[in-house]
Amino acid sequence: MRAGSYDSVLALAVGAVLVCAVAALWLSSVRGVVRVLAAQGLALGLVALLLGLHVHDTALVATAGVVVGLKAVVIPTLLRRVAGETHSRETRPLVNVPASLVAAAALSLLAFSTTRDVVRLVPTGAGKLVPVGFATLLLGFFVLVARRKPVFQMVGLLLVDNAVALIAFLITAGVPFLIELGVSLDVLLGVVVLMVLASRLRADYGEVDLDALQELRD
Amino acid sequence: MSPDLLAATGLLGLAGSAGGAVVGLRFRIPVVAGTTVAACACGLVTAGGVLSGGGPVTLEVGGIMPLSGFSLSLDPLGALFTAVTAVIGICAVIFSLGYHGPGLAGRPASTALPLFVTSMLLVPAASSVTTFLVLWELMALSSLILVLSDQRRRAEVQRAGEWYAAMTQAGAAAILLALVLLAGHAGGQSFAALAGHGPGMASWVRNGAFLLALVGFGSKAGMVPLHVWLPRAHPEAPGPVSALMSAAMVNLGIYGIIRVGDGLLGGGPEWWWLTVMGLGAISALFGALHSTTSTDLKRLLAYSTTDNMGLVLLGVGASGIFADTGHRALALIALVAALLHVVFHAVFKGSLFLAAASLEQGGGSRRLDDLGGLLRRMPVTGTVFLVGSLAISALPPLCGFVSEWLLLQAMLHGLPTGDVAVAVAMPLGVAVLALTGGLTAATFVKAVGIGLLGQPRSRGAVDASEVPAAMWAPSGVLALGCLALGVAPVTLVPAVLRAARVVTPAGVGDPLRHGWRLGLAGSRGVLDPVLLGLGLVAAVAVAAGARRLVQRGPVRRTAAWGCGREAQTSRMEYTATSFAEPLVRVFDDVVRPNRHLDVSHTSESRYYVESIEYHSSLDDDAFERRGYLPALAALRRWGDLARRAQNGSVHRYLAFGLVALLVVLVVVG
């Protein structure tokens, strides 16, 4: 692959990760968001694959396989199971969709303006894309804050996790396979725990949001 | 001198604590008491060896604490405090065998008591910052557990515990900061390194470290305005524990100030010591005043601890000023006076607190207005309390007189030294000493007169009976100590001189004439306790003989102060409140008691009074009302604001996280 086309394909894949995060903020149906998350997993796997091919690192290519399997297949499947009925939607977000998109733009700008030092630190072409990872991270955090349904909380957490993985790939040209495997298993465990929590919440309170937990305060 | 005994002290303490935690109720008290007394004995022998000129005892134990090790080194200054603690510890622990007070036999208290005593024994031996802090914290926590041992039955105990916990932890934090500040600039954490670099450090480091240490150690010594925990915690603790706290633990606050100010920092500018003297003077007056007006026997004793520690601080401050202005001999004498007062205070306050606990157990109350007539019903305990009261009132030939006389001499001889600050401070110090002495005498006239003499004021006092020997013997030994040390201070003065020389400028000859007669070298004033005692005995004998000669014929016996009445009831007697009333009136602006006067009239006419009730209580003092309560209220308002931010919503907490992240990004980026 020629250098120029490698750079642009990598930029495209990284951009796809960010677009998926914005889409997660835009969509309100659970089903759609989970689909977006799966797409983001695919894009992340693509980033890892490209980097792996570029530096001829088979471990990184294997990592790409793990990422796709876990983040594009296993976790979305689990989430779909949590979501239960097919037409569940986020009807009363804490911050409505247009405002969320404006906030997303502001957060992206902030990410780009504050990470210039990091960019300077990493001289490779991939390093220039690090701000995208930070933007994704902030967007994921924003999903956590702005959405009520437990499923969306999980989505937000996974967005943050994907962003962290993306930043790790871009800065270090691939974390060791073993570490990536461990992190992925942690995330899987987190999702399972949250699944249990969400299903218990639904069993106890019906279809309510997390703020029902406010009653538990002293 | 071998360090084995020092190690044995620590190990016995740990063993006693483990025994208290594990052994069943039947053997628990003997096991705990036995090991603790043995630990005290080991400490006493070691300290005695050091004080009699055997050279410091050093013990280094690696491996107990990671990174730093555990290092002890007992020099004469520390040994003096260890010895005092050991004597008080032995007496208090033996006393606890007979004490039926609440909670002391329980598992938590039995675990804490050996730790408390042992940590107090070893704190003066600590020779590195970490060792000192660990032992100090151990002492604070174990004493807190002991204070709280009766908390299930009385709510006041819990409140006292809260005050004590807050104050002692704040004090420990100040001490931690002071020592860490010093260690950071000395580049090592052994006391030897600190003492080596201390005098040469930047002045802000020295000033900061000294002020922090003064706050931390001062609060432990009950120095006003950090004394608020003391009149709460000391009375609410079980009897032997309050004796330990009041006679041994507060001393360590003084030790800390001397060790850091004079020892590690090598003395300091005049304003340090003027501050110490000023705070000491305020503590002495304030404590004396409040003990005059207290009606609770143990609270009275606790305030008098603040008073006596104030006098000690007066001596320490005077010593510092003399050292700074180059009057080395006077510096040594003032410090000797202060240290002697520490020792004597421990002896008489120990006997008084133990006797007070006995009176409480025998008479069923510690409120003076519920006692009365106990000297006849509990003769030994009553006599012990009487002797302790005479000693604390600084009457010859008991020990309190010796140290206060010496302190007075040091301050009076400082007058012609020419320095302006000295010329102002010393006369004020003398005045404080005099006024405090008068107030203390009034206080103990009240305590003895209301509590021991007269008629019993309650059922409990009527039924009072003498406590077992395990209780009166230890307090009696301490009372005998008051007499012995008062008559023969010669037994103690060389050791105290050796202790004071550790931290005062070197190169001073013998500034004291200390044979059987005590006096300052180069001055005509001499105190001869033996002659004084003999003179007093002779005077009493002459007076009694003269009375026998004058009074011939039959003696009519009737109730004292009966005004010729046949039947006299306890309701006709002075109460503790009424006795203190004139003094309260004089110092009204300072004391500001809560007064309630209820007058009820008969229904027929308003000119006839049915009953008058007068209550005057001093549950909180002026510092508490003006300083602490407003500060606490402000803190609470701040806390309520914080609670409003924490509404329990997961989303809000997540938003806090996001905002924090953004702030960090903006600040760093």
Side-chain angles (χ1 to χ4, degrees):
Chain A
M1 204 188 296
R2 282 185 297 113
S5 69
Y6 156 75
D7 278 343
S8 43
V9 174
L10 185 66
L12 200 64
V14 171
V17 173
L18 179 61
V19 169
C20 288
V22 177
L25 209 51
W26 178 38
L27 295 174
S28 57
S29 84
V30 172
R31 184 164 266 250
V33 166
V34 172
R35 214 175 283 147
V36 162
L37 201 67
Q40 193 181 41
L42 266 182
L44 193 63
L46 186 60
V47 171
L49 183 69
L50 284 171
L51 285 168
L53 289 177
H54 185 63
V55 296
H56 305 295
D57 184 353
T58 44
L60 199 51
V61 175
T63 307
V66 172
V67 166
V68 170
L70 191 71
K71 300 195 168 170
V73 180
V74 177
I75 291 179
T77 312
L78 286 174
L79 280 183
R80 236 170 254 135
R81 200 171 294 166
V82 178
E85 65 264 48
T86 42
H87 297 298
S88 125
R89 300 175 74 84
E90 174 72 69
T91 44
R92 305 178 298 126
L94 287 170
V95 181
N96 66 19
V97 172
S100 298
L101 291 178
V102 174
L107 289 175
S108 305
L109 281 178
L110 190 80
F112 274 86
S113 63
T114 52
T115 48
R116 271 172 301 182
D117 288 347
V118 184
V119 173
R120 223 175 297 133
L121 215 62
V122 189
T124 58
K128 289 198 184 63
L129 300 169
V130 168
V132 181
F134 277 96
T136 313
L137 189 145
L138 293 182
L139 292 188
F141 221 134
F142 189 71
V143 170
L144 274 176
V145 175
R147 297 291 179 262
R148 282 181 200 269
K149 275 185 184 293
V151 179
F152 277 86
Q153 304 289 316
M154 285 187 230
V155 169
L157 195 68
L158 290 166
L159 285 176
V160 170
D161 177 63
N162 285 349
V164 171
L166 178 64
I167 294 168
F169 285 144
L170 292 175
I171 288 184
T172 63
V175 283
F177 181 62
L178 207 62
I179 295 181
E180 177 58 34
L181 202 63
V183 171
S184 304
L185 283 177
D186 276 354
V187 171
L188 194 60
L189 192 69
V191 169
V192 171
V193 170
L194 284 172
M195 268 176 68
V196 173
L197 179 70
S199 53
R200 289 302 300 267
L201 262 181
R202 194 167 50 202
D204 289 351
Y205 294 98
E207 197 62 36
V208 288
D209 61 74
L210 274 181
D211 278 347
L213 291 179
Q214 209 163 327
E215 287 172 19
L216 296 179
R217 173 177 173 263
D218 52 35
Chain B
M1 190 97 197
S2 96
D4 294 347
L5 279 173
L6 206 57
T9 308
L11 291 177
L12 280 167
L14 289 177
S17 177
V22 174
V23 177
L25 185 59
R26 213 170 132 210
F27 297 107
R28 191 185 298 152
I29 293 175
V31 165
V32 167
T35 46
T36 313
V37 168
C40 287
C42 290
L44 186 59
V45 171
T46 316
V50 175
L51 281 175
S52 57
V57 177
T58 308
L59 176 69
E60 291 276 347
V61 189
I64 296 183
M65 287 192 290
L67 298 176
S68 60
F70 196 78
S71 49
L72 298 173
S73 172
L74 198 62
D75 63 4
L77 178 67
L80 186 69
F81 286 86
T82 299
V84 169
T85 306
V87 171
I88 300 296
I90 291 173
C91 291
V93 169
I94 292 177
F95 181 89
S96 72
L97 292 177
Y99 185 67
H100 299 309
L104 207 55
R107 220 174 267 279
S110 320
T111 312
L113 184 66
L115 278 186
F116 179 45
V117 175
T118 313
S119 54
M120 283 198 298
L121 288 171
L122 294 183
V123 160
S127 67
S128 77
V129 171
T130 35
T131 313
F132 185 87
L133 289 172
V134 165
L135 288 169
W136 186 267
E137 198 61 25
L138 199 61
M139 175 181 87
L141 291 179
S142 51
S143 60
L144 179 60
I145 295 173
L146 289 169
V147 167
L148 286 173
S149 50
D150 194 21
Q151 62 149 337
R152 291 228 180 99
R153 290 200 307 167
R154 288 180 302 140
E156 310 93 270
V157 178
Q158 210 162 0
R159 267 191 69 69
E162 284 166 8
W163 276 94
Y164 180 44
M167 292 304 290
T168 192
Q169 287 307 308
I175 294 168
L176 173 79
L177 281 178
L179 292 180
V180 165
L181 190 63
L182 285 178
H185 283 82
Q189 61 127 349
S190 73
F191 277 6
L194 262 57
H197 290 80
M201 285 181 196
S203 66
W204 73 268
V205 176
R206 287 165 51 80
N207 292 342
F210 180 75
L211 289 179
L212 282 168
L214 184 62
V215 167
F217 290 120
S219 88
K220 187 57 80 182
M223 181 182 79
V224 172
L226 304 168
H227 66 288
V228 282
W229 62 274
L230 199 147
R232 291 169 182 275
H234 287 205
E236 298 303 343
V241 177
S242 34
L244 276 171
M245 290 175 81
S246 223
M249 191 176 74
V250 289
N251 298 346
L252 297 180
I254 302 293
Y255 168 77
I257 292 173
I258 297 176
R259 176 63 82 192
V260 172
D262 288 321
L264 302 183
L265 293 170
E270 204 169 60
W271 66 267
W272 287 11
W273 303 111
L274 278 175
T275 312
V276 172
M277 269 191 93
L279 291 172
I282 296 174
S283 305
L285 284 179
F286 193 79
L289 202 54
H290 269 271
S291 60
T292 314
T293 54
S294 297
T295 54
D296 177 321
L297 192 54
K298 284 175 82 175
R299 199 177 163 87
L300 177 154
L301 292 176
Y303 267 121
S304 124
T305 300
T306 288
D307 157 17
N308 281 284
M309 287 301 119
L311 294 183
V312 173
L313 285 177
L314 217 53
V316 172
S319 159
I321 290 177
F322 289 139
D324 183 54
T325 51
H327 302 94
R328 297 187 203 159
L330 281 174
L332 186 57
I333 293 171
L335 195 61
V336 166
L339 290 177
L340 268 180
H341 199 65
V342 166
V343 177
F344 294 159
H345 170 253
V347 175
F348 58 64
K349 192 51 71 66
S351 79
L352 281 171
F353 253 115
L354 292 181
S358 301
L359 292 178
E360 186 185 356
Q361 183 165 320
S365 171
R366 55 171 213 246
R367 291 187 56 230
L368 279 174
D369 290 342
D370 290 342
L371 300 176
L374 290 183
L375 191 57
R376 220 175 314 144
R377 291 173 174 77
M378 303 170 68
V380 183
T381 306
T383 311
V384 167
F385 194 87
L386 187 61
V387 172
S389 302
L390 291 175
I392 201 173
S393 307
L395 292 177
L398 293 153
C399 61
F401 179 69
V402 178
S403 52
E404 293 199 15
W405 180 84
L406 201 59
L407 187 58
L408 205 63
Q409 288 291 320
M411 289 201 284
L412 286 176
H413 281 81
L415 282 181
T417 51
D419 190 272
V420 177
V422 177
V424 175
M426 296 305 157
L428 285 179
V430 170
V432 166
L433 196 60
L435 182 53
T436 308
L439 288 172
T440 307
T443 303
F444 283 88
V445 166
K446 176 182 77 176
V448 171
I450 307 287
L452 299 182
L453 305 178
Q455 293 194 4
R457 292 176 176 75
S458 70
R459 201 63 243 165
V462 173
D463 298 336
S465 57
E466 186 57 270
V467 290
M471 290 173 74
W472 61 251
S475 55
V477 166
L478 288 176
L480 284 181
C482 293
L483 188 60
L485 291 175
V487 173
V490 58
T491 49
L492 198 62
V493 169
V496 175
L497 258 175
R498 204 163 280 136
R501 278 185 198 280
V502 174
V503 288
T504 44
V508 183
D510 211 347
L512 277 176
R513 282 187 273 154
H514 52 86
W516 285 92
R517 299 162 59 161
L518 196 63
L520 272 61
S523 134
R524 302 245 300 272
V526 159
L527 171 64
D528 192 333
V530 180
L531 206 62
L532 203 58
L534 288 178
L536 272 171
V537 171
V540 170
V542 167
R547 206 178 121 199
R548 187 67 61 82
L549 281 179
V550 170
Q551 212 174 56
R552 294 222 181 99
V555 177
R556 192 169 67 95
R557 291 204 176 272
T558 177
W561 304 106
C563 301
R565 273 187 247 261
E566 281 303 308
Q568 192 183 13
T569 70
S570 63
R571 286 177 55 82
M572 297 173 187
E573 294 178 302
Y574 258 107
T575 62
T577 313
S578 59
F579 187 88
E581 216 276 334
L583 272 170
V584 174
R585 201 162 274 253
V586 171
F587 293 102
D588 205 31
D589 286 339
V590 187
V591 182
R592 293 190 177 273
N594 302 317
R595 284 211 188 88
H596 299 285
L597 182 63
D598 292 331
V599 184
S600 54
H601 304 278
T602 53
S603 51
E604 287 83 26
S605 163
R606 283 190 56 82
Y607 293 107
Y608 293 98
V609 173
E610 193 167 29
S611 69
I612 300 179
E613 268 187 59
Y614 175 77
H615 294 282
S616 161
S617 65
L618 282 162
D619 291 335
D620 46 355
D621 57 46
F623 284 97
E624 212 172 307
R625 235 173 298 156
R626 304 264 172 75
Y628 284 83
L629 296 183
L632 285 179
L635 267 181
R636 187 158 297 156
R637 275 197 295 281
W638 177 245
D640 286 342
L641 273 182
R643 275 178 66 84
R644 215 171 292 160
Q646 311 262 331
N647 70 346
S649 153
V650 177
H651 290 97
R652 184 174 287 201
Y653 296 139
L654 287 168
F656 287 152
L658 177 60
V659 170
L661 180 65
L662 292 179
V663 168
V664 169
L665 272 180
V666 169
V667 170
V668 175

